[in-house]
Amino acid sequence: MQDHKEASPVNPLPPVVVVLFLAMALPEVAFGLGARGLIGGPEAVGWRLAAVQTYSFSGDIFDWMVANGRWLPDHMIRFLSYSFVHVSFTSTLFAAVLLLALGKLVGEVLGQMAVVVLFFGGAIFGALIYGLLLNDPNWLVGGFPAVYGLIGGYSFVMWQSLGARGEQQLRAFNLIAILMGLQLVWGVFFDVGNGWVADLAGFVFGFAASAALVPGGIARVIASMRRD
């Protein structure tokens, strides 16, 4: 009689996704516990605000570095670090859920290195476009531009899959259209700021980078554009 293992009903997350999730979730746990006075003493109430000021991306600081030609490491790290600081628990939760879902898919199809490239590339490109196109004094904070990089990867995977089946490839952009639409509707009632510019830039990076990561991906995109 041979022993056999039953397949797990849930596929494990790629390790890199788990690491990114913990890097996003643990600061939020610390902020929450600190705000309730459970850790850190009285000064812990201000941990979130201090983290936003220290690690968020600043268009004003970026403009100063460009104008003076001084690329200070303490500020350059903001291109990455802002992805792991959020203004609220709800924002963290939404970003973390998207990270888990899309990171799992992208990691399984394109590989773990692709997750790293799309996540951090989306963050960097999103902040860069935010800094170059806007003159916004508000901090750019949160993991959404990085996660939108993964949405770009997911959309490219869907775009390829639909094309291989001879189906309408525009359906690959349903997710980004829904999310952008929700942001537009939300912006009618609340001041959501200009973070959507960085989000959209992250998506564009993710889609383009995925085409470069997949063998023959760029050629397929060009061929599709010529057919259209």
Side-chain angles (χ1 to χ4, degrees):
M1 183 174 179
Q2 292 182 340
D3 294 333
H4 73 280
K5 283 185 179 179
E6 292 186 2
S8 172
V10 179
N11 292 330
L13 289 167
V16 68
V17 176
V18 175
V19 172
L20 291 173
F21 170 78
L22 291 176
M24 190 178 288
L26 290 178
E28 184 60 40
V29 172
F31 298 152
L33 294 177
R36 290 165 176 78
L38 299 177
I39 61 172
E43 66 273 12
V45 175
W47 277 356
R48 187 189 298 276
L49 178 59
V52 168
Q53 294 175 340
T54 303
Y55 298 110
S56 296
F57 178 82
S58 168
D60 288 342
I61 293 176
F62 175 75
D63 290 342
W64 180 88
M65 290 194 295
V66 171
N68 292 277
R70 298 182 62 188
W71 305 97
L72 304 178
D74 287 350
H75 294 312
M76 290 296 292
I77 194 63
R78 293 174 183 266
F79 278 92
L80 300 176
S81 60
Y82 80 92
S83 298
F84 303 103
V85 180
H86 295 80
V87 296
S88 68
F89 171 80
T90 302
S91 178
T92 306
L93 179 64
F94 190 30
V97 168
L98 287 174
L99 168 63
L100 292 175
L102 295 163
K104 183 177 187 300
L105 186 146
V106 172
E108 290 176 348
V109 177
L110 300 181
Q112 294 193 70
M113 185 54 64
V115 173
V116 175
V117 171
L118 300 184
F119 184 90
F120 288 112
I124 294 170
F125 191 69
L128 181 63
I129 296 301
Y130 182 89
L132 289 174
L133 295 186
L134 303 176
N135 188 25
D136 193 334
N138 293 320
W139 301 103
L140 176 62
V141 57
F144 291 102
V147 170
Y148 271 63
L150 295 176
I151 294 175
Y154 163 81
S155 298
F156 182 79
V157 170
M158 290 297 298
W159 182 85
Q160 280 202 128
S161 177
L162 290 168
R165 298 198 301 266
E167 300 180 27
Q168 177 55 258
Q169 288 179 289
L170 284 178
R171 288 169 50 199
F173 302 102
N174 283 351
L175 179 57
I176 184 64
I178 291 171
L179 291 173
M180 286 286 108
L182 288 174
Q183 287 202 13
L184 179 62
V185 172
W186 193 255
V188 173
F189 301 100
F190 303 96
D191 181 13
V192 297
N194 293 316
W196 65 269
V197 174
D199 297 343
L200 187 58
F203 170 82
V204 171
F205 174 87
F207 190 89
S210 296
L213 289 169
V214 175
I218 295 178
R220 283 191 286 273
V221 171
I222 293 174
S224 177
M225 294 172 64
R226 286 175 175 171
R227 287 197 302 270
D228 296 338

